[in-house]
Amino acid sequence: PRGQQRTRWSMKYEYGQNQVGSDIVDNFTTCTQRFIDSLTTVNGARVPVFPGCQGVAPGTVLRQRSPILDDPYGVGDGDLNRLNLSVRGGSDRVSYFVSGDLDHENGLFANSFNRRRSVRANFTAYATDQLDFQVSTNYVRNHLRLPVGDESGQGIYLLSVRGIPGRRNDFPNVFPGYPGSVSGFHAVNYNNQTYSDRTTIGTTANYRPFDWFRNRLTLGLDLTQNEARILSPPGSTDADFAGSPEGLSALRYPRNRVYTADYVGTVELPLAGWLESSTSFGTQYIARRFDQLAGQGIGLGAPDITAIQNAANTTGSNTFEEVNSIGYYVQQQFSVNNRLFLVGALRADDFSS
């Protein structure tokens, strides 16, 4: 027992920013004679491929700031806000601690963020002088949205460092300076989101019926379930890059459950003034269950159709795995004047999947 504890409240707030860690290089074009003379046809008229190279001498170098820095949907600072509120207290035989966290983090790209909420609680109780137990629980809710990967052909960071100053770009809604059909306006519509929930519960009980006999039982539960979605509306640049211009909706729903139990008993006896014996025995059990449902629909028909069941072509799959293990052990230890220790142990395990 810890004695009477005063209730204490605590609150903490943090603010920060995510910023680009290195300078983004400028883009350059050398106006060769071939670039100056290059023509293309637009609406039936012959126009220069490199209008920026017109009227300059061959060998002139054009320099342009990376478009991702000026694109309103390009890169920018991402705010980071963290709030923590906790309370602790108790009496001579009971203590508690409860804490809650709220994290809002925005990435460098407009469609990149992470929202995290969590609650944690710990309770300790001394029921009698021979029995005490602790209970701990934690719940985390997370919402993550990812931007297009940098190495993707749709990734605007990769495209921004491949810009060709002076070259015309006739693709619609492309911010000046990008080399192809994609800029921030298109990349920001990439919709890849994951929702995850995780709950953990653990309890430990200690029982000492005699001074020489100790028992400990630990039980645990870990539940995790996720929902991962990718949505590419028909006609979007994202759908074109995915090879499904008619639109795509994909869903993956994995669940993972882990159950644990651990018991250990210890008998400590003095055999002589200089010799002590400690005998421990116990068992451990672990069970894992994993299942996943996945589905995909191609051919959504309209931007407001998102359900897989309404797609023209649908596919689905189901995965299930189960693993169980149990172990038994016994250990004998002799202590000579608490300086020399002799230990021997036996263990047996069984496994199934």
Side-chain angles (χ1 to χ4, degrees):
R2 302 171 61 181
Q4 188 68 32
Q5 303 176 56
R6 185 180 63 180
T7 300
R8 291 184 295 173
W9 292 85
S10 175
M11 184 177 71
K12 182 179 180 181
Y13 173 75
E14 297 180 16
Y15 173 79
Q17 281 191 333
N18 293 312
Q19 299 178 335
V20 178
S22 60
D23 294 335
I24 299 179
V25 298
D26 294 341
N27 292 316
F28 299 87
T29 295
T30 300
C31 292
T32 63
Q33 189 63 51
R34 184 171 67 87
F35 285 179
I36 295 173
D37 297 338
S38 295
L39 299 175
T40 187
T41 302
V42 177
N43 298 325
R46 299 289 287 173
V47 296
V49 176
F50 288 86
C53 289
Q54 303 306 303
V56 302
T60 300
V61 176
L62 305 181
R63 180 174 181 173
Q64 185 181 53
R65 174 180 159 100
S66 175
I68 200 174
L69 299 173
D70 300 314
D71 187 344
Y73 298 103
V75 69
D77 295 339
D79 292 335
L80 172 64
N81 294 274
R82 290 178 177 172
L83 177 65
N84 170 267
L85 181 65
S86 65
V87 59
R88 67 172 67 239
S91 62
D92 59 339
R93 288 191 173 270
V94 177
S95 63
Y96 63 87
F97 173 79
V98 181
S99 174
D101 293 279
L102 182 64
D103 292 0
H104 280 192
E105 181 178 3
N106 295 318
L108 301 178
F109 298 99
N111 63 335
S112 172
F113 62 78
N114 187 33
R115 306 284 184 262
R116 183 179 183 273
R117 299 176 177 87
S118 65
V119 177
R120 179 166 60 98
N122 299 324
F123 300 92
T124 301
Y126 296 88
T128 67
D129 291 340
Q130 291 78 34
L131 175 63
D132 66 80
F133 58 89
Q134 300 86 40
V135 178
S136 62
T137 181
N138 187 47
Y139 172 74
V140 179
R141 170 71 169 174
N142 201 70
H143 179 197
L144 174 67
R145 182 168 182 176
L146 295 174
V148 181
D150 292 338
E151 294 300 319
S152 168
Q154 197 182 350
I156 59 174
Y157 182 81
L158 178 65
L159 295 173
S160 70
V161 297
R162 293 184 173 181
I164 307 175
R167 182 185 176 96
R168 70 180 303 113
N169 190 327
D170 296 318
F171 289 102
N173 300 315
V174 175
F175 190 82
Y178 290 98
S181 61
V182 177
S183 65
F185 175 82
H186 311 86
V188 76
N189 291 317
Y190 178 73
N191 193 346
N192 181 353
Q193 302 189 54
T194 300
Y195 299 86
S196 62
D197 293 273
R198 184 178 184 183
T199 302
T200 57
I201 302 174
T203 181
T204 299
N206 295 287
Y207 180 52
R208 297 168 297 279
F210 308 102
D211 291 341
W212 50 268
F213 186 24
R214 295 183 287 112
N215 298 270
R216 186 190 69 199
L217 176 64
T218 303
L219 302 175
L221 174 64
D222 189 340
L223 302 178
T224 304
Q225 60 182 24
N226 299 323
E227 178 184 329
R229 284 186 173 272
I230 293 181
L231 177 63
S232 302
S236 65
T237 305
D238 180 44
D240 291 338
F241 270 85
S244 307
E246 64 275 23
L248 177 146
S249 180
L251 170 67
R252 187 173 69 251
Y253 188 74
R255 294 188 303 172
N256 191 55
R257 289 152 289 174
V258 180
Y259 309 90
T260 60
D262 182 291
Y263 166 76
V264 58
T266 303
V267 176
E268 296 179 334
L269 295 173
L271 302 181
W274 53 272
L275 181 63
E276 291 185 358
S277 169
S278 175
T279 304
S280 298
F281 53 90
T283 182
Q284 296 172 331
Y285 172 74
I286 301 176
R288 294 183 174 89
R289 311 283 190 275
F290 173 81
D291 62 86
Q292 176 176 274
L293 292 174
Q296 177 177 285
I298 298 177
L300 302 181
D304 58 345
I305 296 178
T306 60
I308 295 177
Q309 65 179 8
N310 296 327
N313 300 295
T314 61
T315 58
S317 64
N318 174 243
T319 302
F320 177 77
E321 298 176 1
E322 181 177 359
V323 178
N324 299 289
S325 64
I326 188 169
Y328 308 91
Y329 69 92
V330 59
Q331 175 181 291
Q332 178 62 52
Q333 174 181 288
F334 292 103
S335 172
V336 179
N337 290 328
N338 204 29
R339 293 178 179 272
L340 177 64
F341 300 91
L342 302 176
V343 180
L346 294 174
R347 182 180 177 92
D349 293 278
D350 193 14
F351 176 86
S352 66
S353 62

